[in-house]
């Protein structure tokens, strides 16, 4: 990877295979942390999301002409997780992924920035996401970018606490750049 700038754009149908590869590369690091049955279920869920009809927008990050990152945006907790009970009626980021070889180039930050801009353009006041402690480097990034914990939107997935975060779009320093 060179020092060239990361380009964020809408995903095109021809990006599906590259998106799958990025997702498997990025999330594959958790295969050794999770039990095999849980990993297989998680992997299959990730791959199914590439075709998911509930996605409002799919973005990809391109570096040196190659898709190296992606993120999916959903309108609500019902669309994102089938969870109307969470009562999140603003955009949600899911499956933010950066291929391992492209880490350290600001790809995740640019995908989040583009997602926040889209959410703001759609008239939303907040942008949400969910993550777990297993993804500690991601948690640090979200907090550094101004996301705050939204404890009332946390989810239990079996024994795992899936933490909710939200970004207040009107005050987001991320959008002042």
């Amino acid at each position: 990877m060179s020092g060239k700038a990361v380009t964020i754009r809408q995903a095109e149908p021809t990006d599906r295979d590259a998106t799958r590869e990025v997702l498997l590369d990025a999330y594959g690091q958790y295969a050794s942390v999770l039990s095999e049955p849980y990993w297989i279920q998680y992997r299959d869920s990730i791959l199914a999301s590439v075709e998911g009809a509930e996605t409002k927008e799919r973005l990809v990050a391109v570096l040196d002409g190659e898709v190296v990152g992606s993120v999916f945006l959903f309108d609500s907790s019902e669309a994102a997780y089938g969870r109307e009970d969470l009562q999140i009626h603003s955009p949600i980021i899911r499956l933010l992924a950066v291929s391992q070889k492209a880490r350290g180039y600001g790809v995740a930050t640019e995908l989040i920035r583009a997602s926040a801009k889209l959410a703001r353009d759609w008239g939303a006041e907040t942008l949400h996401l969910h993550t777990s402690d297993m993804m500690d480097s991601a948690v640090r990034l979200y907090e550094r970018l101004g996301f705050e914990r939204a404890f009332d939107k946390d989810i239990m997935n079996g024994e795992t606490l899936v933490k909710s975060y939200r970004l207040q779009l009107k005050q987001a320093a991320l959008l002042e750049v």
Side-chain angles (χ1 to χ4, degrees):
M1 301 277 109
S2 72
K4 293 181 184 176
V6 176
T7 302
I8 308 298
R9 63 170 171 76
Q10 285 183 311
E12 300 167 0
T14 55
D15 294 324
R16 283 194 180 115
D17 288 343
T19 300
R20 279 189 204 93
E21 288 177 28
V22 166
L23 286 163
L24 288 175
D25 183 52
Y27 286 90
Q29 72 189 59
Y30 304 113
S32 62
V33 178
L34 301 170
S35 68
E36 186 175 353
Y38 189 78
W39 164 247
I40 291 169
Q41 178 185 2
Y42 189 46
R43 181 200 64 205
D44 291 349
S45 168
I46 289 168
L47 293 175
S49 69
V50 176
E51 306 296 332
E54 296 294 323
T55 310
K56 179 164 182 164
E57 189 67 76
R58 292 175 179 90
L59 300 175
V60 293
V62 179
L63 189 61
D64 290 340
E66 181 182 352
V67 173
V68 296
S70 68
V71 67
F72 300 166
L73 285 98
F74 296 81
D75 270 340
S76 66
S77 55
E78 185 171 10
Y81 311 114
R83 298 282 308 255
E84 174 62 31
D85 60 306
L86 287 176
Q87 294 293 304
I88 299 173
H89 300 288
S90 64
I92 296 175
I93 289 176
R94 283 203 63 210
L95 297 170
L96 173 68
V98 177
S99 64
Q100 293 185 44
K101 68 181 176 186
R103 293 186 180 166
Y105 291 92
V107 175
T109 298
E110 291 310 314
L111 284 164
I112 294 168
R113 179 178 286 119
S115 298
K117 285 179 180 176
L118 273 176
R120 184 185 60 195
D121 291 349
W122 295 336
E125 293 185 14
T126 57
L127 176 65
H128 292 257
L129 62 84
H130 286 82
T131 191
S132 68
D133 289 338
M134 173 178 75
M135 300 176 183
D136 57 335
S137 62
V139 169
R140 287 193 303 275
L141 173 66
Y142 303 144
E143 291 175 347
R144 192 169 62 246
L145 294 178
F147 281 82
E148 60 195 16
R149 285 282 279 118
F151 294 95
D152 60 321
K153 306 298 182 188
D154 286 352
I155 304 169
M156 285 304 296
N157 185 358
E159 301 287 315
T160 304
L161 173 64
V162 183
K163 295 178 177 180
S164 179
Y165 284 83
R166 86 179 131 237
L167 180 67
Q168 300 291 338
L169 295 172
K170 288 183 179 167
Q171 301 96 331
L174 179 67
L175 295 175
E176 294 172 6
V177 176

